[in-house]
Amino acid sequence: KLISEGSVEEKVLALQGRYAQQEADFETAIRLLREAVEAFGDRPAPYTPARRARLNLSNTLRLRGRYDETLAVLDETLLWMAHVP
């Protein structure tokens, strides 16, 4: 298994976070998506599940009106994406 594929646990966290977002359980979504982003760690960009988790986290923060945090996550994501091998 390639390191860039990620583990099932990371992907499950991201999917659970997305589901919580869709169910309007935003605080749970934020917690799970933060855990997923942390678990994905420094996977090479643009690893799709990690990118999706980051973008879902920023969107959930936006939906809660937490704009400063949203921008911080987007900035981190852009920096991460800039390091495409």
Side-chain angles (χ1 to χ4, degrees), residues 2-54:
L2 294 173
I3 236 174
S4 63
E5 290 179 359
S7 73
V8 171
E9 292 83 12
E10 295 159 344
K11 292 174 185 174
V12 167
L13 281 170
L15 289 171
Q16 287 175 329
R18 178 69 173 132
Y19 178 76
Q21 179 198 49
Q22 290 173 339
E23 294 296 310
D25 185 357
F26 297 118
E27 295 309 313
T28 298
I30 290 167
R31 179 181 54 78
L32 291 168
L33 289 165
R34 283 192 193 279
E35 288 178 27
V37 167
E38 186 175 314
F40 282 122
D42 294 327
R43 297 269 191 266
Y47 180 56
T48 301
R51 182 183 68 233
R52 192 172 296 128
R54 290 168 183 264

Side-chain angles (χ1 to χ4, degrees), residues 18 21 23 27 35 39 47 55 58 64 70 76 78 80 82:
R18 178 69 173 132
Q21 179 198 49
E23 294 296 310
E27 295 309 313
E35 288 178 27
Y47 180 56
L55 295 176
S58 68
R64 295 299 293 158
T70 300
E76 291 169 12
L78 288 173
W80 174 73

